[in-house]
Amino acid sequence: MATVTFRDETATGRPVAEWQVAGLPQRMTVRELIRLRVRDEVARYNARPSDRFNGLVRPDDAEAELNGYRLREPRHLDWERQAAIAERAFLSNGFFVLAGDRQVEDLDEVVDLTTDPGLVFIKLVALVGG
């Protein structure tokens, strides 16, 4: 079994958040890893709902804030809905993923977690007026 480290960074490489998930298969697709990450962060949020969600992608009807999203009111989030949003965001370059020292570009690409146990997620922010 493998342990993966999920780390969020800014486009300039500044770390924002980091956590580990243990007991994983040695090889997983990028799609599976994104879904795992989203399921984990939504489960943590749903255990203690608030008006702020710090996750990979914006929930429906939430406003983007620095390093997170503000919901109009605390509510239960559906991890599968969030995972679908995350997959679409990956495909439209809303964020990219680094496995080890390489960028993964396909949801079906397999990552060997024994050689690349660290995944870096970098959200891209649209430029204003550009």
Side-chain angles (χ1 to χ4, degrees):
M1 301 306 275
T3 297
V4 66
T5 300
F6 291 101
R7 186 171 62 245
D8 289 347
E9 292 183 1
T10 65
T12 59
R14 183 179 58 84
V16 177
E18 182 174 307
W19 68 99
Q20 292 185 332
V21 178
L24 301 178
Q26 293 181 351
R27 297 170 56 85
M28 295 180 73
T29 65
V30 174
R31 181 187 317 271
E32 292 168 326
L33 289 161
I34 289 171
R35 292 179 64 81
L36 173 74
R37 179 221 162 112
V38 169
R39 187 180 69 212
D40 183 65
E41 67 193 16
V42 168
R44 283 186 277 132
Y45 170 83
N46 285 341
R48 302 182 83 190
S50 73
D51 63 349
R52 185 156 170 74
F53 175 70
N54 292 320
L56 182 60
V57 292
R58 181 173 56 92
D60 294 323
D61 298 325
E63 295 180 28
E65 291 188 330
L66 184 63
N67 298 324
Y69 305 97
R70 179 161 306 279
L71 287 83
R72 292 187 181 145
E73 60 185 50
R75 63 183 158 95
H76 179 82
L77 295 179
D78 177 358
W79 81 265
E80 290 178 315
R81 171 97 176 111
Q82 287 299 107
I85 293 168
E87 288 179 22
R88 285 193 304 274
F90 178 85
L91 293 172
S92 64
N93 298 318
F95 66 91
F96 62 93
V97 179
L98 301 175
D101 60 354
R102 65 185 176 83
Q103 181 177 344
V104 293
E105 298 181 4
D106 189 302
L107 285 172
D108 296 319
E109 186 172 337
V110 175
V111 176
D112 184 338
L113 298 176
T114 60
T115 58
D116 291 324
L119 296 177
V120 176
F121 289 75
I122 300 173
K123 294 182 196 179
L124 302 177
V125 180
L127 297 175
V128 177

